[in-house]
Structure formats: structure tokens, C-alpha cells
Amino acid sequence: MMTDQAVVVKVGIADMNTVKAPDVIRTSGLGSCVGIILYDERRSIAGLAHIMLPDSSLSKSGPVNIAKFADTAIIELVNRLGELGASKFSLKAKIAGGAQMFQFSGTSDIMRIGPRNVEAVKKELNALNIKIYGEDVGGNSGRTIEFNPATLELTIRTVNKGTQII
Amino acid sequence: MSFTDKINSLHLDILREIGNIGAGNAATALSKLLNKKIDMKVPNVEIVSFDEMMEMAGGSDKIAAGVFLRIEGDAPGSMFFMLPLEQATNFIRDMIGDETAQLSEPPYEELPLSALQELGNILSGSYLSALSDFTNLSLYPSVPALAIDMVGAIVSYGLIELSQVSDYAIVINTALNEDEKLISETVNGHFFLLPDPDSFHTLFESLGVKL
């Protein structure tokens, strides 16, 4: 019997990519960053964005890496999935990350970046009418996540709290 | 234009010297603490993408012990002292004289964690005070925070400030290891100094070089 060897598509920090079943998509070491999975259930297509910052208005330099910010990354991912044949109206989301890795007494906004990233992601998804079907956010552990567009399972591995599937 | 475009080889040399002086001082402190000979590699200064930075620190998936602190004062920035887990364990066993101390599986005991945090404190403190003397700048370390987690999760935290202006980081990376031992048994730590983008100007200015 022939078996299709599934490929693991890896997404780096401030990066995004898309995948079709049976391949799976993964990003490692999410700390305060948020991993956003958008998927079209019927067509078994999914995309993953690994964002670092909530808002592209935070960018102080000219050309912007759109995969770095929640607001620009999500809309771009929606467009790319659309090009692959996904229906924009049937996209669903799962998100993970946004941890607070270090506790500091300082009140600087930078230190709260994890929760701010999560807020920004939710706001953007809401604006695009994309519903969140699973989330594992906050806390203070790093996460490595892998999404399988065939089973729609998001596997989340942490160092301190084991593995879970949402 | 990104600020990294303005950096030339003279600037990189200066940054290498900064790493040399800071880590040299830290190596002395580590040697005293452990009562062992400590070797220091020549610092390596590179302009790297965020993904390459993760690779330098061991790979974003790899589990490591990281001490992170913010530098406040004239030239703000972030600093990491990263140790692979086995080496962190060897190190604290030496330091607290308890051969059963472990960091490989939670829950961690309080004493090893506290020893590791103190180690980070001493090393980064000596690094910064040397840097401060050399540049005549006031640099104050925040209380260091410790995390045992994935490299990517730890390091990305120090890149946040930088990521607002650039997709590249200027990393001053110095490796320390115990002399005359097999790699697996040595204390092999990495210092990463990540000045905030606006701090490069101040750092170079303090040494009489224009950016």
C-alpha cells in the first residue's frame, strides 16, 4: 500500500505559510508571540501566522514585514488562503501563545506584550467575522504548536505542562 | 532604511570589544564562584534575522535555562545568559554541592532555581559593570528573571523592542566554557547582549565613534 509521506511545513518567527492535507504546519517556541491558525474545514486547507507585535502602527521603520503584526498578518493570511481556493466565509480559527514569559515589577507596555497580542488577534478576527474554535493563550509557558488540516487538531506542546490537543 | 544598514566593520569591531570586556569580567566572576578555570571564546558580533538568532541560541524548540534582564539607564537594552539544560544542572550541582539537584523535570526545587538566578545575577552584573566602566555610561540592570523553557519563547521576549524597528538583530554573543573538559560536562554558556536600536548611537558616541 502506498502511503503519502506528510510534510511538516515550518513557520519561523514573524512569518506565515499555508498547507494542504495531508501535510501539517508547525511553529516552535511561541512565547509572547501568538500563533494563529486559519482553516477551511471542507477543503482541508490551513494557514499559520506567527506574530510578534499587536499593531503595525508600532513599527518605527519604513517597510513593514506584514507577518510580524496581528493586524496585517491575519488579513494577508486570509487572502493567501483565498488564492488557494479557500472560501473566506468558511474560515475558522484556532489560536495559541501570548504567554507572559517573565514577571517584572515594571509596568511598561512591552512587558505586557503577550496579553496585548492576544487582544489584538481576537479583535482582528472579530472584525473579519472569523470565529475562534479553540484557544490556549496566556500563562507563562512557551508553546510549540502543530496543526493538521485533515483532522483539524491543533497539538500544543509545552515544557512544563505536557501536551494537549484543541 | 533600517538602522542596521549604517553599521560598518569598525562598528562591529567596537561591539566585539564591548563583548570582550563584559564577558571577560563575567568569566572571572564565574571562575571565582566555581573555583575553576573558565575559558572564553572570542566574542562574535553578527547582524542576524530573528530565526538565525534562535539558531545561535540552540534552536527555538530546544529547552534551555535563560536568565533575562533589562538594562536601563543611558543605553537601554536586553541581555540574556543562556545555558543548555544539562549544563545548567551540572553547574548548580557544583555550586550548591548537591549531586541530586535537577532541572530536567518540573516541579523544580527552590534551591537550584534560586542558585541559577543568582548565577545569572552575578554574571550579568559583572558584564554590565565592566561595560559601564569602559563606556562611562550609567547602566542599571533590572532584577534578572529566570525561565526554563523553549529557546524561542525566551529569546523572542528580548527581541520585542527591536522588532518594532527592524527584522534583524545585532547580537553580541560570547561563549564561556569550563576549561579542559569534554563538551558534555562543561559549563557552556552564552551571553547575548541586545542593545535597543536607539542605544547604538549612545554606545558608539561614548567611545568617540559616529554612527
Side-chain angles (χ1 to χ4, degrees), chain A residues 29 60-61 68 111 113 142 144, chain B residues 61 149 157 160 163-164 167:
Chain A
K60 295 167 190 160
S61 65
K68 195 155 65 180
M111 296 306 157
I113 196 76
T144 286
Chain B
D61 229 0
D149 214 309
Y157 208 77
I160 291 166
S163 67
Q164 299 177 21
D167 290 316

Side-chain angles (χ1 to χ4, degrees), chain A residues 4-12 17-28 48 144-149, chain B residues 61:
Chain A
D4 262 342
Q5 187 63 50
V7 175
V8 180
V9 176
K10 289 186 182 157
V11 177
N17 213 333
T18 54
V19 73
K20 258 183 173 165
D23 298 346
V24 298
I25 191 159
R26 176 196 294 168
T27 194
S28 319
L48 191 163
T144 286
I145 62 170
E146 186 175 297
F147 185 77
N148 184 336
Chain B
D61 229 0

Side-chain angles (χ1 to χ4, degrees), chain B residues 86-98:
Chain B
E86 314 104 64
Q87 278 141 14
T89 311
N90 287 342
F91 183 82
I92 52 163
R93 283 180 181 167
D94 273 1
M95 200 170 154
I96 63 180
D98 176 0

Side-chain angles (χ1 to χ4, degrees), chain B residues 105-172:
Chain B
E105 240 167 74
Y108 310 113
E109 283 174 80
E110 205 170 307
L111 187 61
L113 282 189
S114 161
L116 198 52
Q117 184 150 12
E118 187 52 23
L119 159 78
N121 206 353
I122 291 170
L123 296 189
S124 47
S126 51
Y127 191 121
L128 275 188
S129 65
L131 181 52
S132 174
D133 286 348
F134 176 55
T135 56
N136 243 328
L137 295 172
S138 305
L139 302 170
Y140 314 102
S142 71
V143 175
L146 173 72
I148 296 176
D149 214 309
M150 298 167 192
V151 166
I154 297 175
V155 172
S156 60
Y157 208 77
L159 295 174
I160 291 166
E161 196 70 54
L162 211 58
S163 67
Q164 299 177 21
V165 293
S166 174
D167 290 316
Y168 293 89
I170 298 176
V171 192
I172 306 168

Side-chain angles (χ1 to χ4, degrees), chain A:
Chain A
M1 194 174 97
M2 282 267 290
T3 50
D4 262 342
Q5 187 63 50
V7 175
V8 180
V9 176
K10 289 186 182 157
V11 177
I13 186 166
D15 192 11
M16 63 167 76
N17 213 333
T18 54
V19 73
K20 258 183 173 165
D23 298 346
V24 298
I25 191 159
R26 176 196 294 168
T27 194
S28 319
L30 287 167
S32 55
C33 301
V34 177
I36 305 131
I37 311 279
L38 297 182
Y39 60 96
D40 181 326
E41 197 171 340
R42 272 199 308 146
R43 293 171 185 84
S44 297
I45 308 174
L48 191 163
H50 180 151
I51 61 112
M52 289 184 84
L53 293 168
D55 198 319
S56 55
S57 66
L58 285 171
S59 174
K60 295 167 190 160
S61 65
V64 165
N65 169 8
I66 46 178
K68 195 155 65 180
F69 306 95
D71 60 336
T72 48
I74 293 174
I75 186 78
E76 171 68 12
L77 196 56
V78 168
N79 290 338
R80 287 203 199 172
L81 288 167
E83 282 164 22
L84 284 176
S87 153
K88 286 185 188 183
F89 306 102
S90 60
L91 286 179
K92 296 173 179 176
K94 291 190 180 183
I95 62 173
Q100 183 104 353
M101 294 304 296
F102 297 97
Q103 309 295 330
F104 280 104
S105 46
T107 50
S108 126
D109 263 1
I110 286 298
M111 296 306 157
R112 276 195 68 252
I113 196 76
R116 283 173 61 210
N117 278 337
V118 174
E119 280 165 32
V121 165
K122 288 187 173 172
K123 189 176 145 219
E124 192 61 28
L125 288 173
N126 193 32
L128 294 166
N129 265 321
I130 300 172
K131 232 177 133 186
I132 298 174
Y133 280 79
E135 64 173 76
D136 177 32
V137 295
N140 47 25
S141 292
R143 298 170 171 92
T144 286
I145 62 170
E146 186 175 297
F147 185 77
N148 184 336
T151 61
L152 309 179
E153 283 178 345
L154 181 64
T155 308
I156 301 160
R157 197 166 60 73
T158 59
V159 174
N160 301 319
K161 297 199 182 83
T163 302
Q164 63 157 322
I165 293 171
I166 60 171

